[in-house]
Amino acid sequence: QVQLVESGGGLVQAGGSLRLSCAASGRTFSTSVSGWFRQAPGTEREFVAGISWSGSTTDYADSVKGRFTISRDNAKNTVYLQMNSLKPEDTAVYYCAARYSGSNKVAVTLRQYRYWGQGTQVTVSS
């Protein structure tokens, strides 16, 4: 089993920054593809960013490109999401996800991920 625990969410003004962390345990983290998703009230969970297990490849939703950066530290079993220039429309619960498939390819859909964290709330005020 894999456990994922997100942290770093909170309330921030528009234009501000937050860094989310996702700590993994229970399985070799360095062989997992990781991703961040978010879900606002009344909407479906959507892809935000993904990273290969080596960290060499990343992918982002168009809505966050140039503002968010995903990274990972396999020695610390942690993946990060640096969020800059935050907008009110970024308000959502953010979820970390992990996939163990033997492929290093970044995954961008919900069904590709088996393991999920409990989520952390991010609220951006205008």
Side-chain angles (χ1 to χ4, degrees), residues 6-60:
E6 302 97 334
S7 61
L11 173 64
V12 63
Q13 289 188 332
S17 299
L18 283 174
R19 188 176 83 155
L20 305 183
S21 298
C22 174
S25 62
R27 192 168 172 179
T28 305
F29 183 66
S30 60
T31 61
S32 71
V33 168
S34 299
W36 286 95
F37 290 74
R38 67 185 181 187
Q39 187 169 19
T43 69
E44 295 184 350
R45 194 170 299 187
E46 65 176 3
F47 172 77
V48 175
I51 189 167
S52 61
W53 73 52
S54 63
S56 60
T57 305
T58 58
D59 198 2
Y60 297 91

Side-chain angles (χ1 to χ4, degrees), residues 24-95:
S25 62
R27 192 168 172 179
T28 305
F29 183 66
S30 60
T31 61
S32 71
V33 168
S34 299
W36 286 95
F37 290 74
R38 67 185 181 187
Q39 187 169 19
T43 69
E44 295 184 350
R45 194 170 299 187
E46 65 176 3
F47 172 77
V48 175
I51 189 167
S52 61
W53 73 52
S54 63
S56 60
T57 305
T58 58
D59 198 2
Y60 297 91
D62 287 343
S63 59
V64 306
K65 280 181 181 176
R67 300 189 298 123
F68 291 11
T69 302
I70 188 171
S71 62
R72 66 191 300 153
D73 185 337
N74 287 337
K76 295 182 178 180
N77 292 341
T78 302
V79 63
Y80 304 97
L81 185 67
Q82 178 66 44
M83 305 186 295
N84 298 328
S85 302
L86 283 160
K87 305 175 181 180
E89 50 263 44
D90 293 318
T91 295
V93 177
Y94 283 71
Y95 297 90

Side-chain angles (χ1 to χ4, degrees), residues 90-112:
D90 293 318
T91 295
V93 177
Y94 283 71
Y95 297 90
C96 174
R99 164 183 168 90
Y100 293 82
S101 67
S103 169
N104 194 30
K105 186 177 180 180
V106 176
V108 301
T109 64
L110 274 74
R111 64 181 183 86
Q112 291 178 290

